[in-house]
Amino acid sequence: MCGIIGVSGHKNAAQIAFLGLYALQHRGEEAAGIATYDGKDIRLVKRRGLVADVFDDKAMAELQGNVAIGHCRYSTTGSSNHKNVQPFMVRHKRRPIAIAHNGNLTNTEQLYQKLEEDGSIFQTTMDSEIIVHLLAKSKLKDLKQTFVEVLQQLEGAYSLLFLVDELMVGARDPHGVRPLCLGKLDGNYILASESCSLDLLHAEYVREIEPGEIVFIHKGQMESIYLPGRETAKKAQCIFENIYFARPDSNIFDDNVYQVRKRLGRRLAQEAPVPADFVMAIPDSGNYAALGFAQELKMPLEVGVIRNHYVGRTFIQPTQFLRDFSVKVKLNPIRNVLKDKRVIVVDDSIVRGTTSRNRVEALRAAGAKEIHMRISCPPIVSPCFYGIDFPSKKELIASDHTVKEVADYIKVDSLAYLSLEGMLAEVKNREQFCTACFTGKYPINIPKTQSKYLLEGK
Ligand code: AMP
């Protein structure tokens, strides 16, 4: 998964992009980059690391220009190596083009093969590079029509930003899988994965970019065009953005993430109440559902574990010795709160089950007498091909284990997931969501071969 930000027409474009990326850090902690156009050429700074580490004074001094696009990356295609860091830049007919992509294409293999047969040489193993090759190959003279021609060839999920000289282009796939919103700051346009970026910048939230919409932004002017056939494309907004991925202070898919999560928790409490001394969350992922759960049942909400905020989602565990400490590095249970208590532990999801099992063990070691796990989404049974980094089906514990078997594996006294119907009842426009990870029903064609490393021959 990734976060993207674009700023057009502002004298501090790179600094705004930097701050905007800072608010999107949760969408990708592996690497970050910003590209600007300085009037003659595109300047690019990108490397592995957190946003705050990548953009030091030297980097910011390099990023001259009043238009910028930025990206933070969590790899879902291609490995996490330097070449695969975005924005990705090419030069075509002496014209520099930069791209930042959130989402996963599903016809990568076909497009890749065709481009290679036609002589393209690839620098990276990211599906995003394919898009710039298609742009370069187009014979059309009109730039807007070129974008239409290229994007029409893509299948899958994409929220995209481009810099073509001073022109900034934003686009969202016709299914609207990943979010992308439009904001305004001092009369200039901003595009961002999530609205929390705009809040940080004191920018005005204008609207979401519509599924199948392409926006061209240049010197304070914006023009929209739409991909043909978008009216009939089935909307497939990723429901997991609401459950786990997006920041709770963001508004995406016409709703507020915090409020959705709280409603999911309330619904879960209605569906699966259980006597206990208190409700607690696995922080931060379970915080808001736990709040809804406790409020619904008028039960006390306690903080039973403390999260170390300096540990990211991608804590490196290079040796077994370090791995053995990894649960406590991130979360430390409070013995005085938990000792001899019957607790309802709310989390957003169970993927492999291994983390949950370790956490339950730590809660028991801290003295919890009964542990009742409540999960604010249905069992995850199928992988995601559209950008969420779920493992293959065989690694998804719920794909071949019953709820009782999962409960036994993670060693809880009881386990309940929110029902599919209950989840859908709590989102706006329920028919517009992709729920493939819970149902195995994929709204967009899926790739014939599935591998994050498809273009690396692994
Ligand atoms: P596990 O018990 O190993 O399945 O881990 C469950 C925890 O991982 C929950 O707290 C989730 O919030 C978190 N999680 C959510 N999405 C993912 C993901 N795509 N990959 C790995 N872990 C995730």
PDB file of all heavy atoms in Angstrom, residues 74 240 243-245 282-283 285-286 313 347-359 373 375 380 388-391 397 409-410, ligand 1:
ATOM      1  N   TYR A  74       4.815   1.152   0.685  1.00  0.00           N
ATOM      2  CA  TYR A  74       4.805  -0.145   1.362  1.00  0.00           C
ATOM      3  C   TYR A  74       4.642  -1.123   0.225  1.00  0.00           C
ATOM      4  O   TYR A  74       3.639  -1.099  -0.474  1.00  0.00           O
ATOM      5  CB  TYR A  74       3.611  -0.201   2.320  1.00  0.00           C
ATOM      6  CG  TYR A  74       3.475  -1.500   3.051  1.00  0.00           C
ATOM      7  CD1 TYR A  74       4.205  -1.723   4.209  1.00  0.00           C
ATOM      8  CD2 TYR A  74       2.626  -2.495   2.594  1.00  0.00           C
ATOM      9  CE1 TYR A  74       4.092  -2.926   4.883  1.00  0.00           C
ATOM     10  CE2 TYR A  74       2.510  -3.695   3.262  1.00  0.00           C
ATOM     11  CZ  TYR A  74       3.240  -3.909   4.404  1.00  0.00           C
ATOM     12  OH  TYR A  74       3.131  -5.089   5.070  1.00  0.00           O
ATOM     13  N   PHE A 240     -11.413  -2.501   3.428  1.00  0.00           N
ATOM     14  CA  PHE A 240     -10.338  -2.649   4.421  1.00  0.00           C
ATOM     15  C   PHE A 240      -9.666  -1.302   4.726  1.00  0.00           C
ATOM     16  O   PHE A 240      -9.034  -1.149   5.773  1.00  0.00           O
ATOM     17  CB  PHE A 240      -9.328  -3.695   3.961  1.00  0.00           C
ATOM     18  CG  PHE A 240      -8.643  -4.372   5.105  1.00  0.00           C
ATOM     19  CD1 PHE A 240      -9.343  -5.208   5.966  1.00  0.00           C
ATOM     20  CD2 PHE A 240      -7.302  -4.165   5.369  1.00  0.00           C
ATOM     21  CE1 PHE A 240      -8.721  -5.813   7.056  1.00  0.00           C
ATOM     22  CE2 PHE A 240      -6.668  -4.768   6.441  1.00  0.00           C
ATOM     23  CZ  PHE A 240      -7.382  -5.591   7.290  1.00  0.00           C
ATOM     24  N   ILE A 243     -11.681  -0.379   7.603  1.00  0.00           N
ATOM     25  CA  ILE A 243     -11.494  -1.256   8.762  1.00  0.00           C
ATOM     26  C   ILE A 243     -10.146  -1.019   9.435  1.00  0.00           C
ATOM     27  O   ILE A 243     -10.046  -0.944  10.652  1.00  0.00           O
ATOM     28  CB  ILE A 243     -11.617  -2.736   8.325  1.00  0.00           C
ATOM     29  CG1 ILE A 243     -13.064  -3.011   7.923  1.00  0.00           C
ATOM     30  CG2 ILE A 243     -11.164  -3.703   9.423  1.00  0.00           C
ATOM     31  CD1 ILE A 243     -13.236  -4.287   7.137  1.00  0.00           C
ATOM     32  N   TYR A 244      -9.096  -0.882   8.627  1.00  0.00           N
ATOM     33  CA  TYR A 244      -7.744  -0.862   9.191  1.00  0.00           C
ATOM     34  C   TYR A 244      -6.826   0.199   8.598  1.00  0.00           C
ATOM     35  O   TYR A 244      -6.077   0.835   9.319  1.00  0.00           O
ATOM     36  CB  TYR A 244      -7.109  -2.236   8.970  1.00  0.00           C
ATOM     37  CG  TYR A 244      -5.625  -2.319   9.284  1.00  0.00           C
ATOM     38  CD1 TYR A 244      -5.175  -2.408  10.594  1.00  0.00           C
ATOM     39  CD2 TYR A 244      -4.683  -2.330   8.258  1.00  0.00           C
ATOM     40  CE1 TYR A 244      -3.811  -2.504  10.874  1.00  0.00           C
ATOM     41  CE2 TYR A 244      -3.322  -2.429   8.541  1.00  0.00           C
ATOM     42  CZ  TYR A 244      -2.903  -2.517   9.850  1.00  0.00           C
ATOM     43  OH  TYR A 244      -1.565  -2.614  10.124  1.00  0.00           O
ATOM     44  N   PHE A 245      -6.870   0.354   7.290  1.00  0.00           N
ATOM     45  CA  PHE A 245      -5.747   1.009   6.657  1.00  0.00           C
ATOM     46  C   PHE A 245      -5.713   2.531   6.788  1.00  0.00           C
ATOM     47  O   PHE A 245      -4.681   3.111   7.120  1.00  0.00           O
ATOM     48  CB  PHE A 245      -5.654   0.592   5.183  1.00  0.00           C
ATOM     49  CG  PHE A 245      -4.242   0.620   4.741  1.00  0.00           C
ATOM     50  CD1 PHE A 245      -3.384  -0.411   5.097  1.00  0.00           C
ATOM     51  CD2 PHE A 245      -3.729   1.705   4.082  1.00  0.00           C
ATOM     52  CE1 PHE A 245      -2.047  -0.359   4.784  1.00  0.00           C
ATOM     53  CE2 PHE A 245      -2.395   1.773   3.759  1.00  0.00           C
ATOM     54  CZ  PHE A 245      -1.550   0.734   4.102  1.00  0.00           C
ATOM     55  N   ILE A 282      -6.772  -3.642  21.170  1.00  0.00           N
ATOM     56  CA  ILE A 282      -5.377  -3.771  20.756  1.00  0.00           C
ATOM     57  C   ILE A 282      -5.067  -2.443  20.063  1.00  0.00           C
ATOM     58  O   ILE A 282      -5.655  -2.124  19.036  1.00  0.00           O
ATOM     59  CB  ILE A 282      -5.183  -4.943  19.766  1.00  0.00           C
ATOM     60  CG1 ILE A 282      -5.501  -6.294  20.402  1.00  0.00           C
ATOM     61  CG2 ILE A 282      -3.764  -4.916  19.190  1.00  0.00           C
ATOM     62  CD1 ILE A 282      -4.518  -6.779  21.461  1.00  0.00           C
ATOM     63  N   PRO A 283      -4.190  -1.636  20.675  1.00  0.00           N
ATOM     64  CA  PRO A 283      -3.919  -0.329  20.064  1.00  0.00           C
ATOM     65  C   PRO A 283      -2.973  -0.430  18.870  1.00  0.00           C
ATOM     66  O   PRO A 283      -2.135  -1.322  18.869  1.00  0.00           O
ATOM     67  CB  PRO A 283      -3.252   0.454  21.207  1.00  0.00           C
ATOM     68  CG  PRO A 283      -2.648  -0.582  22.112  1.00  0.00           C
ATOM     69  CD  PRO A 283      -3.431  -1.855  21.912  1.00  0.00           C
ATOM     70  N   SER A 285      -4.965  -0.343  16.224  1.00  0.00           N
ATOM     71  CA  SER A 285      -5.903  -0.855  15.228  1.00  0.00           C
ATOM     72  C   SER A 285      -7.297  -1.138  15.785  1.00  0.00           C
ATOM     73  O   SER A 285      -8.290  -1.011  15.075  1.00  0.00           O
ATOM     74  CB  SER A 285      -5.328  -2.116  14.580  1.00  0.00           C
ATOM     75  OG  SER A 285      -4.892  -3.015  15.575  1.00  0.00           O
ATOM     76  N   GLY A 286      -7.401  -1.482  17.079  1.00  0.00           N
ATOM     77  CA  GLY A 286      -8.715  -1.818  17.625  1.00  0.00           C
ATOM     78  C   GLY A 286      -9.369  -0.693  18.418  1.00  0.00           C
ATOM     79  O   GLY A 286     -10.478  -0.855  18.941  1.00  0.00           O
ATOM     80  N   ARG A 313       5.085  -0.073  11.586  1.00  0.00           N
ATOM     81  CA  ARG A 313       4.420  -1.287  11.139  1.00  0.00           C
ATOM     82  C   ARG A 313       5.419  -2.289  10.579  1.00  0.00           C
ATOM     83  O   ARG A 313       5.105  -3.432  10.368  1.00  0.00           O
ATOM     84  CB  ARG A 313       3.412  -0.951  10.042  1.00  0.00           C
ATOM     85  CG  ARG A 313       2.167  -0.310  10.575  1.00  0.00           C
ATOM     86  CD  ARG A 313       1.143  -0.138   9.458  1.00  0.00           C
ATOM     87  NE  ARG A 313       0.037   0.655   9.955  1.00  0.00           N
ATOM     88  CZ  ARG A 313      -1.041   0.964   9.281  1.00  0.00           C
ATOM     89  NH1 ARG A 313      -1.176   0.544   8.038  1.00  0.00           N
ATOM     90  NH2 ARG A 313      -1.999   1.681   9.788  1.00  0.00           N
ATOM     91  N   ASP A 347     -10.009  -6.142  18.364  1.00  0.00           N
ATOM     92  CA  ASP A 347      -9.028  -5.769  17.333  1.00  0.00           C
ATOM     93  C   ASP A 347      -9.755  -5.688  15.999  1.00  0.00           C
ATOM     94  O   ASP A 347     -10.877  -6.169  15.862  1.00  0.00           O
ATOM     95  CB  ASP A 347      -7.876  -6.781  17.289  1.00  0.00           C
ATOM     96  CG  ASP A 347      -6.618  -6.186  16.647  1.00  0.00           C
ATOM     97  OD1 ASP A 347      -6.664  -5.006  16.217  1.00  0.00           O
ATOM     98  OD2 ASP A 347      -5.595  -6.895  16.571  1.00  0.00           O
ATOM     99  N   ASP A 348      -9.089  -5.100  15.019  1.00  0.00           N
ATOM    100  CA  ASP A 348      -9.775  -4.874  13.742  1.00  0.00           C
ATOM    101  C   ASP A 348      -9.827  -6.135  12.883  1.00  0.00           C
ATOM    102  O   ASP A 348     -10.772  -6.344  12.151  1.00  0.00           O
ATOM    103  CB  ASP A 348      -9.073  -3.762  12.964  1.00  0.00           C
ATOM    104  CG  ASP A 348      -7.727  -4.222  12.457  1.00  0.00           C
ATOM    105  OD1 ASP A 348      -6.854  -4.506  13.295  1.00  0.00           O
ATOM    106  OD2 ASP A 348      -7.557  -4.355  11.237  1.00  0.00           O
ATOM    107  N   SER A 349      -8.759  -6.957  12.941  1.00  0.00           N
ATOM    108  CA  SER A 349      -8.722  -8.087  12.007  1.00  0.00           C
ATOM    109  C   SER A 349      -7.737  -9.145  12.487  1.00  0.00           C
ATOM    110  O   SER A 349      -6.836  -8.864  13.283  1.00  0.00           O
ATOM    111  CB  SER A 349      -8.298  -7.612  10.607  1.00  0.00           C
ATOM    112  OG  SER A 349      -7.033  -6.986  10.666  1.00  0.00           O
ATOM    113  N   ILE A 350      -7.929 -10.360  11.970  1.00  0.00           N
ATOM    114  CA  ILE A 350      -6.920 -11.411  12.144  1.00  0.00           C
ATOM    115  C   ILE A 350      -6.503 -11.815  10.734  1.00  0.00           C
ATOM    116  O   ILE A 350      -7.356 -12.106   9.888  1.00  0.00           O
ATOM    117  CB  ILE A 350      -7.466 -12.630  12.912  1.00  0.00           C
ATOM    118  CG1 ILE A 350      -7.841 -12.225  14.341  1.00  0.00           C
ATOM    119  CG2 ILE A 350      -6.432 -13.761  12.941  1.00  0.00           C
ATOM    120  CD1 ILE A 350      -8.457 -13.344  15.179  1.00  0.00           C
ATOM    121  N   VAL A 351      -5.221 -11.799  10.464  1.00  0.00           N
ATOM    122  CA  VAL A 351      -4.720 -12.121   9.133  1.00  0.00           C
ATOM    123  C   VAL A 351      -4.106 -13.531   9.180  1.00  0.00           C
ATOM    124  O   VAL A 351      -4.740 -14.510   8.816  1.00  0.00           O
ATOM    125  CB  VAL A 351      -3.721 -11.054   8.645  1.00  0.00           C
ATOM    126  CG1 VAL A 351      -3.256 -11.354   7.226  1.00  0.00           C
ATOM    127  CG2 VAL A 351      -4.335  -9.660   8.703  1.00  0.00           C
ATOM    128  N   ARG A 352      -2.901 -13.628   9.683  1.00  0.00           N
ATOM    129  CA  ARG A 352      -2.269 -14.956   9.832  1.00  0.00           C
ATOM    130  C   ARG A 352      -2.610 -15.618  11.164  1.00  0.00           C
ATOM    131  O   ARG A 352      -2.517 -16.813  11.305  1.00  0.00           O
ATOM    132  CB  ARG A 352      -0.748 -14.835   9.756  1.00  0.00           C
ATOM    133  CG  ARG A 352      -0.214 -14.450   8.410  1.00  0.00           C
ATOM    134  CD  ARG A 352       1.311 -14.350   8.496  1.00  0.00           C
ATOM    135  NE  ARG A 352       1.921 -14.167   7.208  1.00  0.00           N
ATOM    136  CZ  ARG A 352       2.083 -12.999   6.619  1.00  0.00           C
ATOM    137  NH1 ARG A 352       1.644 -11.902   7.219  1.00  0.00           N
ATOM    138  NH2 ARG A 352       2.657 -12.903   5.431  1.00  0.00           N
ATOM    139  N   GLY A 353      -2.898 -14.788  12.149  1.00  0.00           N
ATOM    140  CA  GLY A 353      -3.188 -15.311  13.491  1.00  0.00           C
ATOM    141  C   GLY A 353      -1.970 -15.333  14.394  1.00  0.00           C
ATOM    142  O   GLY A 353      -2.107 -15.448  15.612  1.00  0.00           O
ATOM    143  N   THR A 354      -0.801 -15.197  13.826  1.00  0.00           N
ATOM    144  CA  THR A 354       0.413 -15.346  14.645  1.00  0.00           C
ATOM    145  C   THR A 354       0.595 -14.184  15.632  1.00  0.00           C
ATOM    146  O   THR A 354       0.936 -14.399  16.791  1.00  0.00           O
ATOM    147  CB  THR A 354       1.658 -15.463  13.749  1.00  0.00           C
ATOM    148  OG1 THR A 354       1.552 -14.477  12.737  1.00  0.00           O
ATOM    149  CG2 THR A 354       1.767 -16.816  13.108  1.00  0.00           C
ATOM    150  N   THR A 355       0.341 -12.975  15.170  1.00  0.00           N
ATOM    151  CA  THR A 355       0.493 -11.816  16.071  1.00  0.00           C
ATOM    152  C   THR A 355      -0.544 -11.889  17.183  1.00  0.00           C
ATOM    153  O   THR A 355      -0.229 -11.667  18.361  1.00  0.00           O
ATOM    154  CB  THR A 355       0.300 -10.492  15.293  1.00  0.00           C
ATOM    155  OG1 THR A 355       0.945 -10.610  14.044  1.00  0.00           O
ATOM    156  CG2 THR A 355       0.824  -9.317  16.051  1.00  0.00           C
ATOM    157  N   SER A 356      -1.771 -12.212  16.807  1.00  0.00           N
ATOM    158  CA  SER A 356      -2.846 -12.278  17.803  1.00  0.00           C
ATOM    159  C   SER A 356      -2.513 -13.319  18.860  1.00  0.00           C
ATOM    160  O   SER A 356      -2.716 -13.099  20.056  1.00  0.00           O
ATOM    161  CB  SER A 356      -4.172 -12.638  17.126  1.00  0.00           C
ATOM    162  OG  SER A 356      -4.434 -11.747  16.081  1.00  0.00           O
ATOM    163  N   ARG A 357      -2.000 -14.449  18.418  1.00  0.00           N
ATOM    164  CA  ARG A 357      -1.635 -15.523  19.357  1.00  0.00           C
ATOM    165  C   ARG A 357      -0.580 -15.030  20.362  1.00  0.00           C
ATOM    166  O   ARG A 357      -0.711 -15.251  21.572  1.00  0.00           O
ATOM    167  CB  ARG A 357      -1.098 -16.695  18.542  1.00  0.00           C
ATOM    168  CG  ARG A 357      -0.750 -17.923  19.317  1.00  0.00           C
ATOM    169  CD  ARG A 357      -0.115 -18.905  18.339  1.00  0.00           C
ATOM    170  NE  ARG A 357       0.622 -19.947  18.982  1.00  0.00           N
ATOM    171  CZ  ARG A 357       0.237 -21.218  19.042  1.00  0.00           C
ATOM    172  NH1 ARG A 357      -0.882 -21.595  18.486  1.00  0.00           N
ATOM    173  NH2 ARG A 357       0.975 -22.107  19.641  1.00  0.00           N
ATOM    174  N   ASN A 358       0.427 -14.339  19.851  1.00  0.00           N
ATOM    175  CA  ASN A 358       1.470 -13.815  20.743  1.00  0.00           C
ATOM    176  C   ASN A 358       0.923 -12.783  21.723  1.00  0.00           C
ATOM    177  O   ASN A 358       1.310 -12.739  22.890  1.00  0.00           O
ATOM    178  CB  ASN A 358       2.597 -13.170  19.928  1.00  0.00           C
ATOM    179  CG  ASN A 358       3.373 -14.210  19.153  1.00  0.00           C
ATOM    180  OD1 ASN A 358       3.363 -15.385  19.514  1.00  0.00           O
ATOM    181  ND2 ASN A 358       4.017 -13.805  18.076  1.00  0.00           N
ATOM    182  N   ARG A 359       0.013 -11.966  21.218  1.00  0.00           N
ATOM    183  CA  ARG A 359      -0.553 -10.927  22.093  1.00  0.00           C
ATOM    184  C   ARG A 359      -1.405 -11.545  23.199  1.00  0.00           C
ATOM    185  O   ARG A 359      -1.369 -11.102  24.349  1.00  0.00           O
ATOM    186  CB  ARG A 359      -1.403  -9.961  21.261  1.00  0.00           C
ATOM    187  CG  ARG A 359      -0.546  -9.039  20.419  1.00  0.00           C
ATOM    188  CD  ARG A 359      -1.399  -8.285  19.441  1.00  0.00           C
ATOM    189  NE  ARG A 359      -0.590  -7.426  18.599  1.00  0.00           N
ATOM    190  CZ  ARG A 359      -1.043  -6.830  17.510  1.00  0.00           C
ATOM    191  NH1 ARG A 359      -2.296  -7.014  17.117  1.00  0.00           N
ATOM    192  NH2 ARG A 359      -0.258  -6.065  16.794  1.00  0.00           N
ATOM    193  N   MET A 373     -11.933 -12.561  22.535  1.00  0.00           N
ATOM    194  CA  MET A 373     -11.475 -11.735  21.400  1.00  0.00           C
ATOM    195  C   MET A 373     -12.661 -11.403  20.498  1.00  0.00           C
ATOM    196  O   MET A 373     -13.444 -12.291  20.145  1.00  0.00           O
ATOM    197  CB  MET A 373     -10.395 -12.514  20.644  1.00  0.00           C
ATOM    198  CG  MET A 373      -9.760 -11.752  19.515  1.00  0.00           C
ATOM    199  SD  MET A 373      -8.629 -10.509  20.121  1.00  0.00           S
ATOM    200  CE  MET A 373      -7.095 -11.307  19.790  1.00  0.00           C
ATOM    201  N   ILE A 375     -13.516  -9.313  16.852  1.00  0.00           N
ATOM    202  CA  ILE A 375     -12.855  -8.775  15.665  1.00  0.00           C
ATOM    203  C   ILE A 375     -13.866  -7.978  14.832  1.00  0.00           C
ATOM    204  O   ILE A 375     -14.927  -8.507  14.477  1.00  0.00           O
ATOM    205  CB  ILE A 375     -12.257  -9.935  14.822  1.00  0.00           C
ATOM    206  CG1 ILE A 375     -11.243 -10.736  15.654  1.00  0.00           C
ATOM    207  CG2 ILE A 375     -11.621  -9.420  13.525  1.00  0.00           C
ATOM    208  CD1 ILE A 375      -9.993  -9.980  16.087  1.00  0.00           C
ATOM    209  N   ILE A 380     -11.011 -13.150   7.273  1.00  0.00           N
ATOM    210  CA  ILE A 380     -10.338 -12.873   5.994  1.00  0.00           C
ATOM    211  C   ILE A 380      -9.961 -14.212   5.373  1.00  0.00           C
ATOM    212  O   ILE A 380      -9.139 -14.955   5.920  1.00  0.00           O
ATOM    213  CB  ILE A 380      -9.093 -11.993   6.211  1.00  0.00           C
ATOM    214  CG1 ILE A 380      -9.530 -10.642   6.795  1.00  0.00           C
ATOM    215  CG2 ILE A 380      -8.326 -11.780   4.904  1.00  0.00           C
ATOM    216  CD1 ILE A 380      -8.387  -9.753   7.212  1.00  0.00           C
ATOM    217  N   ILE A 388      -3.789  -4.361  -0.884  1.00  0.00           N
ATOM    218  CA  ILE A 388      -3.549  -4.638   0.540  1.00  0.00           C
ATOM    219  C   ILE A 388      -2.609  -5.835   0.618  1.00  0.00           C
ATOM    220  O   ILE A 388      -2.782  -6.819  -0.091  1.00  0.00           O
ATOM    221  CB  ILE A 388      -4.867  -4.962   1.288  1.00  0.00           C
ATOM    222  CG1 ILE A 388      -5.842  -3.783   1.240  1.00  0.00           C
ATOM    223  CG2 ILE A 388      -4.578  -5.371   2.739  1.00  0.00           C
ATOM    224  CD1 ILE A 388      -5.543  -2.630   2.161  1.00  0.00           C
ATOM    225  N   ASP A 389      -1.631  -5.753   1.494  1.00  0.00           N
ATOM    226  CA  ASP A 389      -0.613  -6.797   1.550  1.00  0.00           C
ATOM    227  C   ASP A 389      -1.082  -7.963   2.422  1.00  0.00           C
ATOM    228  O   ASP A 389      -0.607  -8.143   3.536  1.00  0.00           O
ATOM    229  CB  ASP A 389       0.694  -6.206   2.088  1.00  0.00           C
ATOM    230  CG  ASP A 389       1.850  -7.190   1.925  1.00  0.00           C
ATOM    231  OD1 ASP A 389       1.759  -8.070   1.053  1.00  0.00           O
ATOM    232  OD2 ASP A 389       2.821  -7.072   2.677  1.00  0.00           O
ATOM    233  N   PHE A 390      -2.030  -8.713   1.902  1.00  0.00           N
ATOM    234  CA  PHE A 390      -2.428  -9.951   2.571  1.00  0.00           C
ATOM    235  C   PHE A 390      -1.602 -11.082   1.987  1.00  0.00           C
ATOM    236  O   PHE A 390      -1.318 -11.093   0.795  1.00  0.00           O
ATOM    237  CB  PHE A 390      -3.906 -10.261   2.331  1.00  0.00           C
ATOM    238  CG  PHE A 390      -4.846  -9.406   3.116  1.00  0.00           C
ATOM    239  CD1 PHE A 390      -6.095  -9.093   2.624  1.00  0.00           C
ATOM    240  CD2 PHE A 390      -4.485  -8.929   4.363  1.00  0.00           C
ATOM    241  CE1 PHE A 390      -6.967  -8.303   3.347  1.00  0.00           C
ATOM    242  CE2 PHE A 390      -5.350  -8.132   5.091  1.00  0.00           C
ATOM    243  CZ  PHE A 390      -6.601  -7.820   4.582  1.00  0.00           C
ATOM    244  N   PRO A 391      -1.263 -12.062   2.808  1.00  0.00           N
ATOM    245  CA  PRO A 391      -0.492 -13.181   2.278  1.00  0.00           C
ATOM    246  C   PRO A 391      -1.365 -14.088   1.413  1.00  0.00           C
ATOM    247  O   PRO A 391      -2.569 -13.834   1.246  1.00  0.00           O
ATOM    248  CB  PRO A 391      -0.041 -13.907   3.540  1.00  0.00           C
ATOM    249  CG  PRO A 391      -1.018 -13.519   4.594  1.00  0.00           C
ATOM    250  CD  PRO A 391      -1.537 -12.179   4.240  1.00  0.00           C
ATOM    251  N   ILE A 397      -5.257 -17.482   8.053  1.00  0.00           N
ATOM    252  CA  ILE A 397      -5.696 -18.553   8.961  1.00  0.00           C
ATOM    253  C   ILE A 397      -7.174 -18.902   8.797  1.00  0.00           C
ATOM    254  O   ILE A 397      -7.549 -20.078   8.864  1.00  0.00           O
ATOM    255  CB  ILE A 397      -5.337 -18.227  10.438  1.00  0.00           C
ATOM    256  CG1 ILE A 397      -5.620 -19.453  11.310  1.00  0.00           C
ATOM    257  CG2 ILE A 397      -6.035 -16.992  10.951  1.00  0.00           C
ATOM    258  CD1 ILE A 397      -4.999 -19.422  12.678  1.00  0.00           C
ATOM    259  N   TYR A 409      -6.343 -21.834  18.204  1.00  0.00           N
ATOM    260  CA  TYR A 409      -4.971 -21.501  17.802  1.00  0.00           C
ATOM    261  C   TYR A 409      -4.440 -20.283  18.561  1.00  0.00           C
ATOM    262  O   TYR A 409      -3.312 -20.277  19.040  1.00  0.00           O
ATOM    263  CB  TYR A 409      -4.903 -21.262  16.285  1.00  0.00           C
ATOM    264  CG  TYR A 409      -3.536 -20.819  15.838  1.00  0.00           C
ATOM    265  CD1 TYR A 409      -2.481 -21.722  15.758  1.00  0.00           C
ATOM    266  CD2 TYR A 409      -3.284 -19.473  15.534  1.00  0.00           C
ATOM    267  CE1 TYR A 409      -1.207 -21.306  15.381  1.00  0.00           C
ATOM    268  CE2 TYR A 409      -2.014 -19.051  15.157  1.00  0.00           C
ATOM    269  CZ  TYR A 409      -0.984 -19.965  15.081  1.00  0.00           C
ATOM    270  OH  TYR A 409       0.269 -19.557  14.723  1.00  0.00           O
ATOM    271  N   ILE A 410      -5.294 -19.247  18.645  1.00  0.00           N
ATOM    272  CA  ILE A 410      -4.788 -18.038  19.334  1.00  0.00           C
ATOM    273  C   ILE A 410      -4.989 -18.128  20.852  1.00  0.00           C
ATOM    274  O   ILE A 410      -4.615 -17.226  21.588  1.00  0.00           O
ATOM    275  CB  ILE A 410      -5.381 -16.722  18.745  1.00  0.00           C
ATOM    276  CG1 ILE A 410      -6.893 -16.645  18.930  1.00  0.00           C
ATOM    277  CG2 ILE A 410      -5.020 -16.547  17.278  1.00  0.00           C
ATOM    278  CD1 ILE A 410      -7.471 -15.287  18.511  1.00  0.00           C
TER     279      ILE A 410
HETATM  280  P1  AMP B   1      -2.240 -11.691  12.937  1.00  0.00           P
HETATM  281  O1  AMP B   1      -2.754 -12.158  14.267  1.00  0.00           O
HETATM  282  O2  AMP B   1      -0.826 -12.134  12.712  1.00  0.00           O
HETATM  283  O3  AMP B   1      -3.150 -12.023  11.857  1.00  0.00           O
HETATM  284  O4  AMP B   1      -2.165 -10.114  13.009  1.00  0.00           O
HETATM  285  C1  AMP B   1      -3.314  -9.375  13.252  1.00  0.00           C
HETATM  286  C2  AMP B   1      -2.943  -7.937  13.377  1.00  0.00           C
HETATM  287  O5  AMP B   1      -2.314  -7.491  12.181  1.00  0.00           O
HETATM  288  C3  AMP B   1      -4.140  -7.058  13.618  1.00  0.00           C
HETATM  289  O6  AMP B   1      -3.862  -6.236  14.733  1.00  0.00           O
HETATM  290  C4  AMP B   1      -4.251  -6.236  12.369  1.00  0.00           C
HETATM  291  O7  AMP B   1      -4.537  -4.904  12.675  1.00  0.00           O
HETATM  292  C5  AMP B   1      -2.879  -6.283  11.712  1.00  0.00           C
HETATM  293  N1  AMP B   1      -2.981  -6.234  10.223  1.00  0.00           N
HETATM  294  C6  AMP B   1      -3.897  -5.617   9.517  1.00  0.00           C
HETATM  295  N2  AMP B   1      -3.676  -5.706   8.213  1.00  0.00           N
HETATM  296  C7  AMP B   1      -2.607  -6.421   8.046  1.00  0.00           C
HETATM  297  C8  AMP B   1      -1.891  -6.875   6.899  1.00  0.00           C
HETATM  298  N3  AMP B   1      -2.252  -6.552   5.667  1.00  0.00           N
HETATM  299  N4  AMP B   1      -0.829  -7.640   7.092  1.00  0.00           N
HETATM  300  C9  AMP B   1      -0.459  -7.958   8.330  1.00  0.00           C
HETATM  301  N5  AMP B   1      -1.079  -7.550   9.444  1.00  0.00           N
HETATM  302  C10 AMP B   1      -2.150  -6.783   9.327  1.00  0.00           C
END
